[in-house]
Each structure stands twice: as structure tokens, then as C-alpha cells.
Amino acid sequence: MDTGNKIKRRAKSKGTPPIPPLNKGGQGGGTAIFYITDNGFALAERLKGLYPAAQVFKFKPDTISKFWGKHKSFIFIMASGIVVRTIAPLIKNKKTDPAVVVLDEKGEFAVSLLSGHVGGANNIAKQIADFLGGEAVITTASDVNNMPSIDLWAKENNLVIEDWNLLPQTATQFINNSSLKIYSEIDMNLPSDFLKVSDPKLADVLITNKQKIDSNVIPVKTGIQEKRTKELDSCLRRNDKNQAIRKLYLRPKNLILGIGCNSGTAADEIEDAVKGVLSKNNLSFLSVQSIATIDKKGAEPGLLSFAGKYNLKINTFTPDELNSVSNVEKSEAAFKATGANAVAEPAAMLASGADKLLVRKQKIGNATIAIAEKKAGRRAQSAERRAGKLYIVGTGPGTIEHITPYAQSVIKESDVIVGYGTYLDLIKELTRDKEVISTGMTKEIERCRKAVELAISGRTVSVISGGDPGIYAMAGLVFEVLRGQGVKGSRGQGVNKSASPSNPQTLEPLNPVVEVIPGIAALNACAARLGAPLMHDFAAISLSDRLTPWKLIEERLESAAKTDFVIVLYNPKSMGRPEHINKARKIILKHRAPETPVGVVRAAMRENESIVVTNLRDMLNYDIDMQTTVIIGNSRTFVWDNWMITPRGYEKKFKI
Ligand code: SAH
């Protein structure tokens, strides 16, 4: 009998999340690949499988400057020294430099050399490593420390970085303090390492469309929970002493300019008027999102040219649409010229959806400017209340690659993630920009209540369980809490198909859509690692007596053993009850031979995975803990080439 062999059957990939390929089928100007040798050329051709639109060139140092500025990403298959020397004079700043990735000829290492975050080189290096089965070499501190990068996060959330020179200092603060204090005037979800503060004085980063926040004025609390820790207080004292500290401003794109102007007004005049009004009202030009005006002015050359210069969209409205807005200052001159009672004010309000203006109309020379603020998260405040969603998600046994794409998509769609530390750590890459609620293992009920409460309030919530959520996990508990509160969730069956009832008339709590999203359970993962031990009837039994009396567990073990079920033992051992696995083994040995094959799989599909095929006699010689699942074969289970196999019965009917 082949016993106790540790098997190494580890997948090569290190669990990088699937990232959609860049430029697939896109324009040719996206990616340029350079090679020197024939091997390099062969590798470049292989990479076209990943980036079909990429262009491949033989490397000539003095020609690279011609490509710079034309391509978004550069992949060099050669020594990094050559690349560094060649691109050094071309590098300008991290805002505009392209992504540069260097690959060795064998494709073993993809080094993200330049513009890791904003340029996307880190992602490209990871994609290439995944594609070629190699390693991505990433050196940006936030990635190495598993922290969100400020610039990437800003980009993803459509926030404009005002002063890139302040970024290194802010990033260092972040890494040294392990958290970043954010003051935000817009409603947004923050990654778990970002701490929301309601006093701008305490913040490292200010998210606002105001040019400067007067740090002596503490704005009214936004209702967002603030953690006023000792650390924050000492930070306040530090900042008081040194008012000179310059803070990083991130600009939300939420200002809408309503503009009316006489025919033939020059672009410069419009620009000066806009900048003058913004500055007088302490508003940042970087927060301007778009322009709104009357349909007739949609083709006004000065306006078009100003909009084009700053890449601002122009939204136009008919006189009837403009006249439908009440509470604006009317002008007879405007009515005579256009048929609209007013232009700048109602246009800004219509385009922003706001019911009041931030800046009432200002007439400066030939232009009239009004400003409105577009509210993000209007949904929460508006009358159009929406039912929340409650996803109960299984994240599989280990790394991200074993989570179903559907589960990944609901996690991405969620505003809030509720879960337990270890499982959350395994999926950190998916939850960076989410509000994460994590409490210890024994606080499951508290977690479920919170999740239900949030879903009722209209948020999209994912309750995370390792493995499958319906197997010794959270799904049952969530339903018990729903039942306890009399909340009948409507059934979701697919992200886009779920009915989302809304109830605008009343302020009654809305019942959330509830959906359970299955995951690969430990019994699937462990069976797969062992071979095919579950090919016949099996029983899963948890040895945890935290919620089930031990006597009942013993009875179930006895019955399953007696009736020749394959037995999957979950929660086999913990510090508090080391003897349970010994007792279980003794019970099973009453009905099965000591040579019965047993598989002991620890941390399946995780970094520290171990797989042992042994038997009932020897099984206790191996490490068994709470990350382990033990599978005990039935009377017919056999071991072949270190695989554990339970025959289904084909051999009796057919010749194999
Ligand atoms: N919902 C989970 C089970 C949670 S109970 C599922 O469907 O798999 C926790 C127990 O599951 C652990 O004590 C262990 O017995 C088993 N388990 C979970 N993940 C595992 C893994 N990666 N490898 C081996 N066993 C695992």
C-alpha cells in the first residue's frame, strides 16, 4: 500500500486576477513590441496572441524617440540596461509617460519599468506573466505592500490630481502610517486602508471642488462615521504647528458650467469669464465636467473652441426645456433673442440634475456664466429609492482564480463587502475600492445583521464565505436573519436579470434582492487534488461541536461508516478540541479496514497547500488542522499512482 506520500501537483500560476487584455482588436497605435534577437522576435509574435493589435519592430536605439508619444505602451524584449539607456532622455513625468515593460527572451520575467500605475505597466506585466506562465516583477511600493495606489485609485474614481508633485510625499505618508486620511465632499466608497475624516484639518488628502478649504472652518458632519483615534488627535496637533504642510487636492469632475453668450464672443473672453467666476467663488477649474447651453449656441465658434481646448462636452437644451425650469432669473433680452427666458441658469440645472445653483448667473462682458454641482450618489438622496441587493457569495477554496467569474462580477458590483478576515485577505485584489466590514469569526450574526440592514437601506452588499456559501457557511444564517426580521427578499437570478423593485411613494423599507452565488467547496477542491474519491455516495460531516452536540456528530459518523459512505470530514481539528479527529477515526475503524485509503488535504488551492494520501491506520501521523479536510474512502476506494479513487462500478458492467 502506498501510504503517506506528499504529492506536489501545484498549478504554476500564482493567482493573478484575470485582467482584460489591452488593445485587443483595437487601433494599431496602442502597443509597440521591440526585439533584438530571433528568440526575441519569436516571443514578440507569441505576444500578439495577447495583444493582436500590437506592432512588432526590430529594436534600433535611435528610432525609439519617433515612437514615443505615439504608442501607449512599450514592450522591450531585451536587457533592461539597454532599455533604461534608450528611454532615459525621453522620460517626462508619470502623468504622461507611456507604460514600459521589459521582458527577458525566455519570457520568464515581465518587469514593469515605467508608469506602473497610471500608464498601466503593472497590469501589462501581470497580463504577460499570466499569458506566458512567467512572473511579473512589480516594484511600486503600494503594490508590494498590497495597498491601493493613490494615483490609480484617483483615476478609477474620476478624480483629477491637482499637483502631481505632492503625490510622492502623500504616498510615503500612506505607506508609513498604513492608512490615508481622506476628507471628501462627495459621497464615495473608500478602500479599507483609507480613513474618512470629517475635519479637513485632519486629512492627508482633500476631495473637493473648492479651490482651497479654509481649515479653520469645520464643515457640518456628513453623517459619515469618523474614527477620532489618538493618532488623529496627534496629527491635528502636528498640523496646527505646521500650517505650511501642503495637502494633496483631488478634484471631482462635478461642476457644470451654464453658459450664454452673444454671437461672435471669442474663446479667450469666454475662458477668462469662466475662470474669473470660478476663482471668485473659490471653485477649481479642474472640477469642471461639462458645459450646458441653449441649442442655438451649440455651434458657436468661440464656445466650441473653448470646450475643445479643455476637452469639455457641450450639452444643449431647447428653449422649451429651458423654460420648464422654475426658480431662475429671467431676462427679457434673452427671451427676445432666443425664445428662452434664461439660458445659463436653467441649462446648468438641467445638465446637472441639481435643483439649485451653486453660483447664480454672472454677466461678464459678452458671456453669462452660472454654475451647478452634479451630485454623485444622487440615488441615495433622491425620491427614486431603489431596493438594495444582498449577494451571498462563495469565494472558493483559495486564490482568486478559483472564484467563478460570476462571483467576481457581483463582488465588483457591490458597494459593501461583509466577511471574515482570512477569506477577505484571499480576495483583497477585488475589494480594494469597497467599503469592507470585517469582524472576527465568532461575530457571524452581527455581520449578517449588518449586511441585511445595509441591503435594506438600498446598498449592494456581498456577504463573503470561503468555499461554497451554503456549506457550513453564511447563507443559512443570512436567511435566518431575514426570516427573523420578516424581510422576504425577492429572488435575484443573475446580475442583470434581478428584479429591483422600487417604491418611490413610501418610505417603507424596501425588500432587497437576494441571491446565493455558489463557490467551489473545500470538498470539491480537496477531492480534485486527491483524484476522484467522491465518485460514489458520500457524507460530509463537520467535527465542530460549537453548534452541534458531539453526541449527534458521533451518531452520524457511526451511521455513515456503517453504510459505507465515503466520508468527508470538515473542521477536523482545532486547538480547543484536538481529540475529535481521533474519536472519529476510532468510530470509522469499527466498520472499515485500517488500510482504507484516506486523503488529508490542507489549504487546497492556496500557497501553502499540502496533499497526503494515507490510510486509516496512519492518518494521525500527518498534520491536521482547521485548514484541513480529511476524506475517508469507502470499502472499494483504492490508491493508484498516489491518486485516491472510488470506483463508480463501471468495471462491473464494461470492460475498461
Ligand atoms: N464553506 C466552506 C466550508 C467552511 S467550514 C466550503 O464550502 O468549503 C471550514 C472548513 O472547511 C475548514 O475547517 C476545512 O475543513 C475546510 N476547508 C475550507 N477551505 C479549505 C481548503 N482550502 N483546503 C482544505 N480544507 C478547507
Side-chain angles (χ1 to χ4, degrees), residues 397 466-468 471-473 521-522 526 570-572 601 603-604 606 626-629:
D468 182 86
I471 300 183
Y472 307 121
C526 298
Y570 267 86
N571 300 306
V601 182
R606 296 182 192 167
M626 282 305 275
Q627 281 197 63
T628 309
T629 297

Side-chain angles (χ1 to χ4, degrees), residues 186 254 352-354 356 358 373-379 381:
I186 61 168
N254 62 358
S352 64
K356 60 179 195 300
L358 207 57
E373 187 179 78
K374 190 165 185 163
K375 291 260 182 295
R378 292 185 64 71
R379 199 189 66 209
Q381 300 141 14

Side-chain angles (χ1 to χ4, degrees), residues 389-395 404 406-407 410 461-465 467-471 473-479 482 489-495 498 513-519:
K389 290 186 192 167
L390 187 55
Y391 293 123
I392 310 163
V393 189
T395 55
T404 65
Y406 183 67
V410 302
V461 185
S462 276
V463 178
I464 302 292
S465 292
D468 182 86
I471 300 183
M474 299 293 274
L477 188 51
V478 174
F479 283 115
L482 285 169
S490 55
R491 267 157 219 255
Q493 268 139 15
V495 173
S498 26
V513 171
V514 177
E515 186 173 349
V516 182
I517 288 108

